[in-house]
Amino acid sequence: MSRICYVNGRFVKEENAKVSIFDRGFLFADGVYEVTAVVGGRLVDYEPHIDRLYRSMGELKLTLPMSRGQLKRVHLALIGKNALDEGGIYLEVTRGAADRDFAFPDASTKSTVVLFTQARSLVFNADGESGIKVITVPDIRWQRRDIKSVALLAQVLAKQAAREAGAKEAWMHENGVVTEGGSSNAYIVTQDGRILTRPLSNAILPGITRSSLIRVAAEKGLRIEERPFTLAEAFVAAEAFNTAASSFVMPVIAIDGKPVGNGKPGPVTTRLRQIYLDEVVKGAG
């Protein structure tokens, strides 16, 4: 069955979902996006995702030609129209279509808004049970990584390098310090049990799953320490994992071909994944 997508105020079949060749998202990557998980037909962490969307739009002086309430109704309508039980909803907002010029078009240009669904298993995910392998790559991105921009070529290259190496994710690094994954935030558990992840700054994306995990972990007596960690620390970590809206808490069992701990998901990571599923996913709505 063809998916139903949303394009600029209309619900259309995916084969009819089109935007102009002059759209600035296509010409300049002049846009932002969000991906919200869906479990049991319900949105997970929806409001924080939309808060981040508005922040990203504000940083790039983008506007949304619809109210916040209308946007949520579109999300819910897509879940219904596509009978989506589990997966995600991709949302993109660009500066719209105008003749090619680097400077912003005039105020009459209307932003482009596109949404579509992707069905996938999130809760009962084989990788979540067995863990994944990651590789490390230099971080070659621009300096405003806190903006969820559609300019993702560096991440595309990192993820492709991971695929070619038989891994599922790439951890990016600068001067020997891990920044984040190609599409995730990165964490290690030290040999003395401390859970480390890089603090928020312009250098990383403020992950919504990251924020929720830090909150619910603290409620369960587990503290996630926000400080940079090095590749050297990662290679001798007891455990490692990623977080993302598309995978929740994902164990990492090898880095650059070297096993993490005993090469299996560790007890801290396993507990954090279960806490997130219990406290956040089951309370979605």
Side-chain angles (χ1 to χ4, degrees):
M1 183 180 72
S2 176
R3 280 178 295 184
I4 300 299
C5 306
Y6 177 90
V7 181
N8 292 332
R10 298 174 58 233
F11 291 99
V12 295
K13 292 183 178 180
E14 63 179 271
E15 57 267 26
N16 297 322
K18 298 177 175 63
V19 297
S20 169
I21 64 167
F22 297 107
D23 193 280
R24 291 177 63 91
F26 172 66
L27 295 175
F28 296 112
D30 188 0
V32 297
Y33 76 103
E34 283 291 336
V35 180
T36 303
V38 174
V39 175
R42 298 179 298 168
L43 295 162
V44 177
D45 273 336
Y46 176 78
E47 295 300 336
H49 276 287
I50 302 308
D51 288 343
R52 186 173 64 181
L53 173 73
Y54 274 91
R55 180 188 180 278
S56 294
M57 289 193 301
E59 293 296 308
L60 298 183
K61 299 181 180 179
L62 288 166
T63 58
L64 189 66
M66 60 198 305
S67 72
R68 188 167 176 139
Q70 289 172 319
L71 184 60
K72 185 167 187 178
R73 287 192 289 273
V74 171
H75 278 77
L76 295 175
L78 285 175
I79 291 173
K81 290 177 183 293
N82 292 292
L84 181 64
D85 179 64
E86 192 164 311
I89 298 181
Y90 177 89
L91 158 65
E92 183 170 330
V93 181
T94 80
R95 208 174 302 277
D99 203 8
R100 189 178 185 276
D101 187 10
F102 282 86
F104 295 174
D106 63 47
S108 66
T109 301
K110 191 174 181 180
S111 298
T112 294
V113 182
V114 171
L115 294 91
F116 59 82
T117 60
Q118 290 182 295
R120 65 178 65 172
S121 178
L122 300 178
V123 177
F124 300 105
N125 184 318
D127 286 338
E129 299 298 321
S130 63
I132 64 169
K133 299 175 182 178
V134 305
I135 64 166
T136 63
V137 298
D139 199 332
I140 60 174
R141 298 172 297 165
W142 71 325
Q143 295 182 0
R144 290 304 309 276
R145 303 160 192 167
D146 55 307
I147 300 171
K148 200 166 177 66
S149 163
V150 296
L152 295 171
L153 187 56
Q155 290 94 317
V156 168
L157 294 174
K159 300 285 271 194
Q160 180 61 26
R163 176 181 290 182
E164 292 172 0
K168 291 289 183 71
E169 178 61 299
W171 278 10
M172 297 177 282
H173 59 88
E174 292 177 313
N175 301 316
V177 176
V178 175
T179 49
E180 59 188 334
S183 60
S184 62
N185 291 115
Y187 308 71
I188 60 170
V189 181
T190 64
Q191 293 293 339
D192 60 2
R194 288 172 296 134
I195 308 165
L196 307 181
T197 193
R198 185 165 180 140
L200 296 181
S201 69
N202 289 355
I204 69 168
L205 184 72
I208 303 305
T209 305
R210 173 191 184 278
S211 176
S212 290
L213 181 66
I214 289 173
R215 173 180 57 81
V216 298
E219 291 170 359
K220 297 296 183 181
L222 294 171
R223 178 171 173 264
I224 298 179
E225 183 179 336
E226 297 179 73
R227 77 153 174 85
F229 63 86
T230 65
L231 288 172
E233 289 178 294
F235 289 136
V236 297
E239 302 178 37
F241 61 95
N242 300 325
T243 60
S246 58
S247 57
F248 301 148
V249 179
M250 180 59 64
V252 171
I253 59 171
I255 303 172
D256 285 343
K258 303 176 182 69
V260 177
N262 64 2
K264 298 178 181 179
V268 174
T269 302
T270 301
R271 184 180 177 198
L272 286 170
R273 179 174 173 83
Q274 194 59 53
I275 287 171
Y276 184 84
L277 292 175
D278 289 344
E279 301 297 318
V280 179
V281 174
K282 289 183 181 178

